[in-house]
Amino acid sequence: EKIVSSMLPGRWRARWDLEGDEVVFEIRPPMPDFVLHQPNPLTRELTHAEYKAFRIPIGVDEDTLEQFWQPSVSPHCLVIGGTGSGKTSFQHTVLTHLAQARWRVWVLDGKRIEFTGFRDWANVELVAARVEHQVRMIHAAHALMEERYDKLVAGTARLNDFEPLALIIDE
């Protein structure tokens, strides 16, 4: 695979069939420059079953298969990249999907200007821009998490009793 890629022009990949003793080399298809996101707004509260199945599309792979983030499977999402690479734009897309799915959304806006347009959005409860507001929001999120843990441990609540809360921290 490495040799073919180094000797022939283009981006090559191999599809291996180890049981059939066969390999097929092909040029990788081009990646799309743009992926359209079309959230589906809910008109009612998100059920726990819907929360379990909720996915946010994050792009497509070279075979045009949708890649997604599923919070119930992996509740944390880390977005990294250089300046101007689209991290905040991606977070805007995630926020849009979450808010339209009727999640509670809290945002820590480190630059104080990146999320101001979301202050009036339905389900976006907090956009903390000033440092003291950011600290207060983190403390409130921690207190809510501890309160939920206490109820679960005491047996006074079950996981599906809690509505999802997304905490977006930018910069």
Side-chain angles (χ1 to χ4, degrees):
E1 199 173 332
K2 222 177 192 181
I3 291 170
V4 169
S5 291
S6 67
M7 295 179 73
L8 297 175
R11 296 176 52 242
W12 289 82
R13 67 179 176 186
R15 298 203 183 266
W16 296 87
D17 175 6
L18 298 178
E19 292 176 2
D21 285 336
E22 186 176 287
V23 63
V24 175
F25 289 92
E26 62 187 19
I27 292 183
R28 293 178 185 276
M31 296 292 287
D33 292 328
F34 179 77
V35 178
L36 183 62
H37 290 266
Q38 297 184 348
N40 298 320
L42 289 179
T43 56
R44 57 184 164 56
E45 292 300 316
L46 191 71
T47 68
H48 192 69
E50 289 169 325
Y51 163 73
K52 289 278 206 192
F54 179 71
R55 304 183 325 178
I56 296 176
I58 59 174
V60 294
D61 66 13
E62 63 188 14
D63 295 315
T64 66
L65 297 174
E66 181 180 82
Q67 302 300 306
F68 55 87
W69 171 48
Q70 189 169 359
S72 66
V73 174
S74 180
H76 303 98
C77 178
L78 175 66
V79 183
I80 60 172
T83 302
S85 63
K87 299 178 300 295
T88 301
S89 293
F90 173 73
Q91 289 178 325
H92 287 178
T93 299
V94 168
L95 185 153
T96 301
H97 280 273
L98 293 167
Q100 289 187 338
R102 299 182 60 119
W103 282 51
R104 296 173 61 197
V105 180
W106 296 358
V107 181
L108 188 150
D109 186 359
K111 289 184 181 172
R112 300 174 63 174
I113 58 169
E114 300 285 357
F115 290 85
T116 54
F118 291 103
R119 290 182 188 275
D120 299 335
W121 270 55
N123 305 315
V124 177
E125 297 178 353
L126 297 169
V127 177
R130 296 177 50 151
V131 172
E132 57 270 25
H133 298 157
Q134 295 170 8
V135 171
R136 195 173 320 145
M137 186 185 78
I138 296 294
H139 281 286
H142 181 261
L144 177 61
M145 179 184 71
E146 289 297 326
E147 176 186 322
R148 288 178 174 188
Y149 285 152
D150 289 345
K151 287 179 180 180
L152 290 169
V153 169
T156 58
R158 298 175 320 191
L159 275 178
N160 58 356
D161 292 333
F162 305 124
E163 74 282 0
L165 170 68
L167 183 62
I168 296 175
I169 300 175
D170 187 43
E171 307 269 347

